[in-house]
Amino acid sequence: MRHTSNMIRLLGALALLALTATAAQAERFERINVDLISDSDALAPGEPFWVGVHLRPDEGWGTYWRNPGAAGLATSIQWESSDKAHVGGTEWPLPDVIEAQGVTSYGYYRDVLLLSRVVPDDDLEPGDTVSVGAEISWAVCSDICILGDGAFSLELPVAAAPAEAAEPPRRELFERTREQLPRQIPEWEQRVQVEDQALELVLASPERDFERAERVRFFPYEARVLDIDATPSTDISADRIRLRHALDASAEEDVDRLEGVLVVESPGETRGYEISEAVGDGQPTVAAGVQAGALSEFGLLTVLLMGVAGGMLLNLMPCVFPILSIKALMIMESVKLGDTRHRIHAVFYALGVISFFCVIGGVLYVLGQAGMVGGWGFQLQSPWFVGLLAYILFLLGLNFSGLLSFGYRLMGVGQSLTESGGYGGSYFTGALAAVVATPCTAPFMGTAIAYALVQPPVHSLLVFIALGVGMALPFVVLVVVPGLARVLPRPGPWMTVFKQALAFPLYLTVIWLLWVIGGQTGAMGMAVVLAGLLLIVFVVWLRSIETVATRPGPRAVGQGLAVAAAITAVALLWVPDAEEPRPRGTVAEAAAEGTWLAYDPDRLEALVQDGEPVFLNATADWCISCIANERGALSAPSVTKAFREKDIVRMEADWTRPDPEIQALLERFGRKGIPLYVLFPGRDAQGDPMEPVVLPQFLSPGVVRGALENVQSPGSND
Amino acid sequence: MPGKTVATMALVAAAVLPGTATPAGSVDIIRYDNPEQAPGFALEDVTGQERSLEDFEGRALVVNFWATWCAPCVRELPALERLHADPDGPATDVVAIAVNQWAVDIEEFLEAREEISLSFTLLPDPDGVATDAWAVGTLPTTFILDAQGRVHYKVVGDPDWDGDEMRERIAGVKQ
């Protein structure tokens, strides 16, 4: 009982608060209450806040949106502020369609808050006040329209940070209203075209945002673009919206741009997406992102060629090279033995490579559709994948060392070409080569993948096939072109020694992968994977003594143990947890040396605003090219000297584990993977800010120094 | 009982079906028992010709304040046209003053709405001079003047201009 009465009292108090909060400035006009309110009672220097014109018409009366439609007058607001703050333009929540007497208009037959974002100056001090003013004129309509206008102002005191938020009802009103503002479209495909006096808009969301969408409607910003009384035809699927709307009879034949809001209604949720798109020839473009937009300028063919080139470069990666060498040796052997099937083997090898890239492409696409962020190298953010890769490379190393020979059942890597049924072996060699190539991002590949992921599935698949073709190409050419294989050294007993020697780079790669896991999950995760490796050795040993055990009993026990150990080894991969905190590897080291700052978007923004030159390095422990660039170019004495002389702030974004802020950074520069190097050069000689420069993915000290030359040296009096 | 039911149904119908044969909106008709001289106007019409209230003296005059964006205003334009053009009607001139709008706004509007054809005088009031002088804050607002330019009625909203009631009122001011 007491609870109830307390509850009633609380509700009463809240209601009173709501009244006093929202009615503080309210002024009663004919048929409408109007006031100017803010989401903060006191503001902090430099901290943005929101103000809003609260229009509350009587029941059955309404005001209009920025484009009022066939009838109506948009509410007009002239924002003003004291010279200590900057007030943005009016931001309009999503409108309703108002159908009255056969006339369609857009507006609000309900309360609405028209927003504006205010940024107070940094140098304000507690005790100062900031005033925000609004001159408002409106038409409030039902069967008649009443014109009204008024001038309002708010005086807000400056408090020491943080800003003082308004009471809950008012703050929540602002929060709710902000959710009703149109959103910027993420990196989605959008397309606008005009055909048969109708406008067609296609919007594709890789995140399946439209899964529950029931209704869509487009609200143009300009009047008389679309035939407002026509009913649009729509076609909605989970990842794609197609809307067709008849043009207004008075619309220019050559509508060249479509601007407005696409409103998508789902049960319990209505979202608006801001569309600003040139009317094109039906070719899709990619929204948002400085460079992603530029990507659309590449034709599909160009991107496919870049994919092939990037794939070819993967062959030079340290992790791929041993496997390829072995395969080449086998081919030489087969040629020596007069085997004529080597061309078929080459085809199977190529198919193996391409299959893996198709799988990766599919996984990336599905992850993107499911709203999980994917990018090249994302696999290596999962400790279990890194662990699995360590196992595979360890097994390969054992094989190369001659301690283990795989049957065809497993991988067929050791399968001789001269034996029958070896095509499967070639296929798996291809797939394996592609698997171990994933840590090595070659130039062009990042661009090709960024392009692929925002394309329709068929195009996307083509790009990944191109990567596979590129990677398989050198090998296939070597085998298929007569005479080329003869250039290679003659086969002989030296090959066994060579193969055993190649095991050592593989073991080294395993150590590197263990280090990556250590970085991701700490010493515990590393120990667990090491235990898994030990179990693998145990299985190898059990198999070697099988030949000694002649009786079926002990033999069965040995086999059972081997299977159990193998399963345990695989199960161990799920133990390390990437979510555990870890020391921030290279960042921590760098910070200790006092050279690299950890990436912080706000800090970067502040530095760029101040005209400070910044060199940004997006890297990860598992990214070989990144580490190679850091060791070879970024730590080169001549480069570090240039960094110091030019007073360049060095910032490192460590993507060893998933990080949405770094993901956003990559997307801003149109990348899906790392490395990414960006130089923000600060100001030029005239003091004007310069555009950021993206450096190549393979760095040499010369490349970096060349880029840094554009940065102005700090003045001699500094 | 049945009478009450019918009345209720009519009320519901009026609320649910606004703007059918009889306008359902609130129409406010003010009758001035001691008509005073209208404030007057001097505006260029859509053809650029200067027009003032004096030009229309000698006949009853309907002065309508409207805007192209105002749905109820647009709705009553055809009825005003019938009032103006009907040979059996109360023989009145009609002047429609477009509040805060330019000649080009009216031209664009007439182009877009081909079904609306108007033969009476259209006066844009871009600076709102006449609108302010007549103290109009609600659209549509219509004044009914006698032949001497005195205001007999102020009508706020969209009445049934085709109905006998309004026509008799207009006919009444002519005397």
Side-chain angles (χ1 to χ4, degrees), chain A residues 20 23 29 38 49 86 133 162 164 206 269 380 387 400 429 503 512 514 557 592 659 710:
Chain A
T20 49
F29 293 86
S38 161
F49 64 98
H86 175 257
E164 196 178 306
E269 189 187 37
L380 292 159
F400 278 26
T429 309
W512 164 66
L514 282 166
V557 170
D659 182 331
N710 295 323

Side-chain angles (χ1 to χ4, degrees), chain A residues 315-458:
Chain A
N315 286 297
L316 298 175
M317 293 297 150
C319 33
V320 183
F321 189 67
I323 297 169
L324 270 184
S325 317
I326 293 308
K327 198 68 201 166
L329 293 182
M330 288 172 186
I331 299 283
M332 287 188 285
E333 203 166 4
S334 74
V335 171
K336 180 186 74 181
L337 293 174
D339 193 298
T340 52
R341 293 174 302 161
H342 54 276
R343 291 195 176 91
I344 305 175
H345 279 284
V347 170
F348 270 86
Y349 169 83
L351 284 178
V353 174
I354 294 166
S355 304
F356 175 76
F357 275 97
C358 288
V359 169
I360 280 287
V363 170
L364 275 174
Y365 192 79
V366 169
L367 281 182
Q369 295 273 301
M372 292 165 69
V373 181
W376 191 244
F378 75 98
Q379 318 90 317
L380 292 159
Q381 292 174 342
S382 311
W384 68 265
F385 186 88
V386 182
L388 189 69
L389 214 51
Y391 284 6
I392 292 173
L393 286 165
F394 186 58
L395 280 166
L396 264 178
L398 292 177
N399 172 258
F400 278 26
S401 300
L403 299 172
L404 169 69
S405 65
F406 296 121
Y408 168 59
R409 281 169 299 143
L410 241 183
M411 294 272 177
V413 170
Q415 191 82 356
S416 166
L417 277 173
T418 52
E419 288 173 39
S420 61
Y423 296 139
S426 292
Y427 179 84
F428 280 112
T429 309
L432 190 67
V435 170
V436 297
T438 51
C440 315
T441 305
F444 313 118
M445 261 186 32
T447 309
I449 289 166
Y451 176 87
L453 289 177
V454 292
Q455 295 304 301
V458 177

Side-chain angles (χ1 to χ4, degrees), chain A residues 511-556:
Chain A
I511 291 174
W512 164 66
L513 289 170
L514 282 166
W515 176 71
V516 171
I517 292 178
Q520 284 171 331
T521 66
M524 184 62 199
M526 201 153 102
V528 165
V529 178
L530 271 169
L533 294 179
L534 180 66
L535 282 169
I536 289 172
V537 177
F538 183 58
V539 172
V540 170
W541 175 70
L542 283 173
R543 284 193 45 172
S544 73
I545 60 167
E546 263 179 32
T547 46
V548 183
T550 45
R551 282 189 297 163
R555 219 184 142 94

Side-chain angles (χ1 to χ4, degrees), chain A residues 86 128 146 152 332 338 457 499 608:
Chain A
H86 175 257
D128 289 351
I146 300 168
F152 297 80
M332 287 188 285
K499 185 174 166 183
V608 170

